[in-house]
Amino acid sequence: MGKRKGGSKSLASFTEKSRYSNGYLAADATVYGADNAEVDVAEERAESSNLVDPPEVEALVGSDKTSADYYFDSYSHFGIHEEMLKDVVRTKTYQNVIYQNAFIFKNKVVLDVGAGTGILSLFCAKAGAKHVYAVECSLMADMAKEIVQANGFSDVITVLKGKIEEIDLPVTHVDVIISEWMGYFLLFENMLNTVLYARDKWLINDGIVLPDKTSLYLTAIEDAEYKEDKIEFWNNVYSFDMSCIKKQAMMEPLVDTVDQNQIVTNCLLLKTMDISRMVSGDVSFTVPFKLVAERNDFIHALVAYFDVAFTKCHKLMGFSTGPRSKYTHWKQTVLYLEDVLTICEGEALVGSMSVEPNKKNPRDVDIILKYSLNGRRCQVSRTQCYKMR
Ligand code: SAH
């Protein structure tokens, strides 16, 4: 799923720059399987990106659209799909999962939840699916229909334009559900509930959901320079005090790449979700954490990221969006702390993180962080609220 920060709201965000360039869309991007053997996927990228011809798409989709339309539905614009397709860690993992595990798809009825350009449906059709229903609510559904036709899969793939929650599927049951629903901080945009809805409505009893496991992680980083640039900046703007904006800036988790050298503590598994069993209420949770310093340093922020796993394959497959892994368009999510913590090796930052969809707009995520450090150099106890929107 796309979702640059604010991606559903502003096209300006498409040009957002990372502070640490990993060589955007790392030409040498790799994916891992159970053996963690890295697979070179550089040459495959060109293959994927050929599926969409941006200027043509713009001409067809964009002709009668204004920026006001895109403001509410960035998925109608090809830019966000281009970004996702060019994320080779993401797209190549799905392709490997599907092509290398054809037994899951052969002669099966597949539902692609949020099909976008139809890329996952095309993979499934190529792997031998009996029929694929590609459901997409944005205008990109029209493009997906053309793409399916242009590639000769019209008899296998049916593109349905509409919301999963509102469409009539021509069949009562499907054998497999595939989806790329993950948002920033895993849960931003809350598309997971759409997948769970589809699972409960159409998936046969022993059916398969892909991916079926996802895990959220937390770590702490030193980030003096960037915190200064993003937060303290507002204290003195051309000699004017704009510090009232600082509060808002602090409350918004920042989606950006973190260098692994910034990591000060262990990386902690916060929460694992089993997509084949969980219920929608499970997207709200409170979990405790204990982050132990691996060196003497300052802590300016906590950082969250996630892994995705396909456990029903011959061998475990998946990818990580963590700072120690190859770049993905999800980057990491940085939560700045009010205080600069001074932590000594072996000391622990303890607390809890609560996550829940915003009550007014369930696509947004509210995060409450409680933390305390009782160290030699620093004693702090605080609660901070963040809003991903
Ligand atoms: N499967 C594509 C696109 C993933 S992005 C790929 O892997 O490249 C997720 C897509 O889901 C977006 O195109 C978005 O418009 C669509 N979507 C989100 N919520 C939906 C819903 N409730 N019903 C149908 N489509 C949805």
Side-chain angles (χ1 to χ4, degrees):
M1 200 168 170
K3 298 160 299 244
R4 274 186 170 280
K5 178 115 181 89
S8 59
K9 295 167 188 165
S10 161
L11 287 181
S13 61
F14 290 141
T15 59
E16 181 190 336
K17 279 254 163 46
S18 293
R19 59 198 151 136
Y20 300 107
S21 169
N22 285 353
Y24 180 62
L25 301 177
D28 61 340
T30 53
V31 293
Y32 66 85
D35 52 2
N36 270 351
E38 292 192 334
V39 184
D40 190 350
V41 296
E43 64 205 36
E44 297 289 343
R45 184 192 146 187
E47 218 173 77
S48 297
S49 57
N50 282 345
L51 290 171
V52 174
D53 180 5
E56 206 174 304
V57 175
E58 187 180 39
L60 291 164
V61 175
S63 55
D64 58 343
K65 288 279 119 189
T66 68
S67 58
D69 296 303
Y70 294 131
Y71 184 88
F72 292 107
D73 183 11
S74 63
Y75 287 111
S76 291
H77 191 275
F78 68 84
I80 203 158
H81 296 278
E82 181 181 354
E83 186 189 26
M84 290 188 289
L85 293 169
K86 285 180 174 172
D87 181 339
V88 282
V89 172
R90 179 202 87 111
T91 311
K92 187 68 191 161
T93 300
Y94 274 84
Q95 190 191 48
N96 283 342
V97 162
I98 297 166
Y99 286 0
Q100 292 171 18
N101 297 278
F103 74 95
I104 296 177
F105 303 93
K106 205 136 204 93
N107 297 320
K108 296 288 167 55
V109 176
V110 180
L111 173 60
D112 180 357
V113 174
T117 53
I119 183 70
L120 305 184
S121 296
L122 291 163
F123 289 157
C124 295
K126 225 172 155 178
K130 184 161 90 186
H131 205 89
V132 187
Y133 294 97
V135 181
E136 171 57 44
C137 63
S138 78
L139 293 178
M140 196 47 67
D142 299 331
M143 292 291 98
K145 277 180 200 165
E146 283 202 36
I147 292 165
V148 164
Q149 204 167 22
N151 288 277
F153 284 105
S154 300
D155 51 340
V156 184
I157 303 173
T158 304
V159 178
L160 299 164
K161 188 177 180 179
K163 283 194 170 165
I164 280 282
E165 294 82 354
E166 293 165 7
I167 52 135
D168 287 322
L169 213 56
V171 289
T172 52
H173 290 94
V174 300
D175 304 303
V176 178
I177 287 179
I178 193 151
S179 184
E180 199 283 83
W181 53 267
M182 295 81 72
Y184 289 135
F185 186 67
L186 185 63
L187 297 168
F188 182 53
E189 292 198 1
N190 200 17
M191 199 183 149
L192 176 53
N193 270 338
T194 299
V195 175
L196 301 181
Y197 176 93
R199 180 199 68 185
D200 294 344
K201 188 161 180 184
W202 292 297
L203 191 65
I204 56 164
N205 270 342
D206 53 352
I208 291 179
V209 186
L210 297 160
D212 60 331
K213 287 263 162 57
T214 176
S215 302
L216 192 65
Y217 294 82
L218 191 69
T219 189
I221 58 165
E222 187 284 328
D223 203 20
E225 209 179 310
Y226 207 64
K227 191 182 178 199
E228 189 72 27
D229 182 46
K230 293 298 290 181
I231 309 290
E232 307 309 331
F233 163 76
W234 297 107
N235 289 336
N236 180 347
V237 182
Y238 296 89
S239 84
F240 296 105
D241 178 354
M242 297 195 182
S243 56
C244 53
I245 293 180
K246 218 166 100 171
K247 277 196 211 97
Q248 288 176 32
M250 282 294 295
M251 281 188 79
E252 275 200 23
L254 190 76
V255 174
D256 212 337
T257 46
V258 165
D259 191 283
Q260 56 177 309
N261 295 324
Q262 296 177 266
I263 298 172
V264 177
T265 65
N266 57 316
C267 296
L268 183 76
L269 171 63
L270 268 190
K271 171 97 180 160
T272 294
M273 293 181 187
D274 178 348
I275 316 302
S276 58
R277 286 162 205 266
M278 67 182 289
V279 296
S280 66
D282 296 341
V283 299
S284 304
F285 54 86
T286 298
V287 279
F289 65 80
K290 181 179 178 184
L291 297 172
V292 180
E294 290 171 348
R295 63 181 190 223
N296 298 336
D297 211 333
F298 300 108
I299 290 174
H300 299 89
L302 298 192
V303 172
Y305 60 91
F306 61 90
D307 287 0
V308 174
F310 299 79
T311 73
K312 297 294 190 295
C313 300
H314 284 306
K315 53 180 190 177
L316 179 71
M317 297 177 89
F319 62 87
S320 170
T321 65
R324 292 196 168 105
S325 301
K326 291 281 181 193
Y327 173 94
T328 73
H329 75 289
W330 287 285
K331 304 178 186 174
Q332 289 87 42
T333 302
V334 182
L335 306 152
Y336 283 111
L337 304 180
E338 291 280 350
D339 319 272
V340 178
L341 311 182
T342 309
I343 198 161
C344 301
E345 189 178 340
E347 290 179 353
L349 177 65
V350 294
S352 67
M353 181 184 264
S354 301
V355 177
E356 68 171 334
N358 182 270
K359 294 212 166 58
K360 276 196 201 136
N361 182 358
R363 285 160 60 89
D364 295 351
V365 182
D366 292 344
I367 303 164
I368 300 173
L369 201 61
K370 292 186 179 168
Y371 59 89
S372 61
L373 170 63
N374 191 8
R376 271 171 284 161
R377 297 278 193 88
C378 181
Q379 292 88 39
V380 176
S381 190
R382 199 184 273 280
T383 300
Q384 281 184 240
C385 301
Y386 303 85
K387 285 187 192 306
M388 285 269 340
R389 59 175 113 197

